[in-house]
Amino acid sequence: MNARISQILRLAIPSIISNITVPLLGLVDVGIVGHIGDAKYIGAIAVGTMLFNVIYWIFGFLRMGTGGMTSQAYGHRDFKEVIRLLIRTLTIGLVIGFLFIILQIPLIQFGLWVMKPDIGMLSLCWKYCLICIWGAPAVLAMYGLTGWYVGMQNTRVPMMASIGQNILNIISSLIFVFVFHMDISGVAIGTIIAQWGGLLFSLLLLHHSYKRLYKYFSWSGLFDYHALYHFFIVNRDIFIRTLFLVSVFLSFTSIGSRQGAIILAINTLLMEFFTIFSYFTDGLAYAGEALCGKYYGARNREAFREVVYHLFYLGFIVAIFFTVIYSFAGESFLSFLTTDTHVICVSKSYIGWTCLIPIVGVSAFLLDGIFVGITNTKGLLLSSVIAAFLFFIVYLLLRSQLHNHALWLAFLLYLAARGIVEFILFIRQPV
């Protein structure tokens, strides 16, 4: 096997496994309360999980920005900056997380106002959220720590932390719910134990694997104004870019819901095709982020270009594979997700859009990783802004003629536009 491909896969495969385990935290919670016997518990968990997923997604810049800057410092062999980036991102993640706890009442109040859960489950939503908010510092610190590990070319530790976190969540939630009879509170407590346990486990592995870096620690320059300014400028662009991404995905769901329960169900199920594909391409993007950042920081143009070439080579193999799978097994996958024959029947007219997702979207995922690695965050932001505006314009122009098809067309053009704009910017980027 080609050496560059081996390099990419060594980083990508653990990231793919980590991505697959991420939704399990919410899924386990839903599965446990599903056996309590009241549908309100399931609804409250679904609302609470969605609320925290959106909040944490917005603050995903802690992972992305840290990963790009760390990989460049690592490639440049600047270990003093590597350790400074670790301390900075952990400190900032913890501070933001504790601010969430301080502001928990207005934050949850606003989130539930946006989500508008049924009045019958509102008190359960509050109970779940008021406990889960205590996991925010651990989650956000873990974002930064995961980005740092990726920058250090190590995706195995985040993978082990994700697996360990899910095992701990399952065990603790089961004990609190079925042994101590704590219903939704027990599930929430199990979740925060898993979140803090995952962070502690990652820090222990950090000490075991990287204690040699302690000698580079110095208070000098740790919170230097210029260093912090650069850190926040990079993360500011990613933060704003994430807001545009969130606006597209929330609008996609909201627009679908206005077209009735059947269309909402179809769009939700078909979006799983996008989600599964994203787990694999995000893994490749993480590898691209780590390796491109490393060679960009080391000023090794030849290695950088080889990584980009092989990254796209693997990316398009994955895209073709998923296109074939979706084309021939898409309807069977839908039947696995739901037994509602009416939903399956109506969805057949939309399933063709999902078959286009891999080919149309692969470049956006891969170039996201490359841009994060070289910290070209302005390019990430510009591509997302243009693509988001295109999404809304196309849908508004075509909704009266194409209805839900207009929504899917707008979404695919949004994915394509991100990749096209980033490609144009990339070929103009001096590397």
Side-chain angles (χ1 to χ4, degrees):
M1 185 183 291
N2 181 282
R4 292 289 177 224
I5 291 178
S6 298
Q7 247 186 330
I8 292 169
L9 292 178
R10 180 177 58 82
L11 293 170
I13 291 173
S15 294
I16 291 168
I17 295 171
S18 296
N19 289 342
I20 292 170
T21 64
V22 167
L24 287 179
L25 274 174
L27 187 61
V28 166
D29 289 352
V30 171
I32 290 172
V33 297
H35 288 82
I36 295 176
D38 192 332
K40 290 180 182 178
Y41 288 111
I42 298 175
I45 292 285
V47 169
T49 301
M50 175 63 75
L51 174 59
F52 283 105
N53 283 347
V54 170
I55 292 171
Y56 294 147
W57 188 15
I58 290 171
F59 285 87
F61 64 81
L62 288 168
R63 193 213 66 76
M64 297 174 71
T66 302
M69 288 184 280
T70 302
S71 62
Q72 289 186 33
Y74 178 76
H76 196 56
R77 315 306 287 176
D78 185 354
F79 293 114
K80 287 185 178 180
E81 182 60 15
V82 163
I83 201 71
R84 282 195 291 260
L85 282 165
L86 172 64
I87 302 300
R88 274 186 213 131
T89 193
L90 284 173
T91 302
I92 292 167
L94 288 169
V95 168
I96 295 173
F98 282 112
L99 282 175
F100 280 0
I101 292 174
I102 293 169
L103 301 171
Q104 59 182 279
I105 299 299
L107 183 68
I108 295 171
Q109 200 165 31
F110 177 74
L112 294 179
W113 175 77
V114 172
M115 300 290 290
K116 291 183 173 58
D118 183 86
I119 192 68
M121 68 175 72
L122 190 58
S123 62
L124 291 174
C125 292
W126 270 101
K127 184 187 287 190
Y128 181 77
C129 291
L130 286 171
I131 297 173
C132 283
I133 194 72
W134 290 88
V139 173
L140 296 178
M142 192 65 186
Y143 274 15
L145 189 54
T146 299
W148 187 85
Y149 275 122
V150 171
M152 294 297 289
Q153 322 295 296
N154 184 345
T155 54
R156 292 189 307 278
V157 169
M159 177 192 71
M160 290 188 289
S162 292
I163 294 171
Q165 190 175 28
N166 279 287
I167 293 172
L168 184 57
N169 183 42
I170 293 169
I171 294 171
S172 56
S173 294
L174 285 172
I175 291 172
F176 284 116
V177 172
F178 295 110
V179 176
F180 295 107
H181 307 291
M182 295 179 67
D183 57 63
I184 200 169
S185 298
V187 171
I189 292 170
T191 297
I192 63 170
I193 287 174
Q195 289 164 342
W196 281 102
L199 176 62
L200 178 61
F201 181 54
S202 293
L203 290 173
L204 289 173
L205 290 174
L206 173 75
H207 174 73
H208 176 74
S209 303
Y210 294 101
K211 56 188 174 186
R212 68 185 185 278
L213 294 178
Y214 292 171
K215 63 184 178 183
Y216 295 104
F217 174 77
S218 170
W219 288 103
S220 175
L222 183 58
F223 295 107
D224 175 73
Y225 169 78
H226 294 292
L228 285 175
Y229 178 78
H230 176 63
F231 185 90
F232 281 109
I233 285 295
V234 167
N235 287 314
R236 178 203 64 187
D237 292 341
I238 298 175
F239 174 76
I240 299 171
R241 171 250 189 193
T242 304
L243 292 179
F244 278 94
L245 263 63
V246 169
S247 72
V248 169
F249 282 91
L250 288 181
S251 297
F252 186 94
T253 302
S254 175
I255 292 167
S257 69
R258 290 195 213 110
Q259 299 180 68
I262 295 296
I263 293 297
L264 176 60
I266 289 168
N267 287 351
T268 302
L269 292 172
L270 292 180
M271 188 53 79
E272 290 300 315
F273 288 73
F274 171 81
T275 303
I276 292 169
F277 173 68
S278 73
Y279 291 155
F280 286 82
T281 43
D282 265 340
L284 290 173
Y286 289 174
E289 172 187 331
L291 293 170
C292 289
K294 172 185 172 182
Y295 292 126
Y296 184 80
R299 305 291 188 269
N300 188 337
R301 294 185 179 184
E302 183 180 352
F304 179 90
R305 288 168 181 164
E306 286 179 2
V307 168
V308 172
Y309 172 79
H310 288 98
L311 195 65
F312 272 89
Y313 173 77
L314 290 171
F316 278 103
I317 288 176
V318 170
I320 291 168
F321 172 78
F322 274 97
T323 300
V324 172
I325 292 295
Y326 289 170
S327 298
F328 289 97
E331 290 183 23
S332 299
F333 181 59
L334 274 178
S335 299
F336 172 76
L337 293 175
T338 181
T339 56
D340 190 320
T341 54
H342 183 48
V343 169
I344 294 172
C345 182
V346 178
S347 68
K348 290 178 181 178
S349 63
Y350 298 102
I351 202 167
W353 294 112
T354 62
C355 298
L356 297 174
I357 287 173
I359 295 297
V360 170
V362 64
S363 294
F365 281 98
L366 300 179
L367 285 163
D368 277 354
I370 294 168
F371 273 48
V372 169
I374 63 178
T375 57
N376 183 352
T377 53
K378 285 184 171 53
L380 282 171
L381 175 57
L382 179 62
S383 64
S384 296
V385 170
I386 292 173
F389 274 109
L390 181 63
F391 169 82
F392 290 111
I393 290 169
V394 169
Y395 175 71
L396 290 173
L397 289 175
L398 299 177
R399 62 180 176 174
S400 59
Q401 293 88 10
L402 299 179
H403 309 293
N404 197 49
H405 287 289
L407 184 60
W408 278 100
L409 174 61
F411 181 69
L412 287 173
L413 289 175
Y414 156 79
L415 291 176
R418 274 175 53 196
I420 291 168
V421 173
E422 286 178 338
F423 179 75
I424 292 170
L425 295 173
F426 178 71
I427 59 177
R428 297 174 61 186
Q429 168 91 18
V431 176

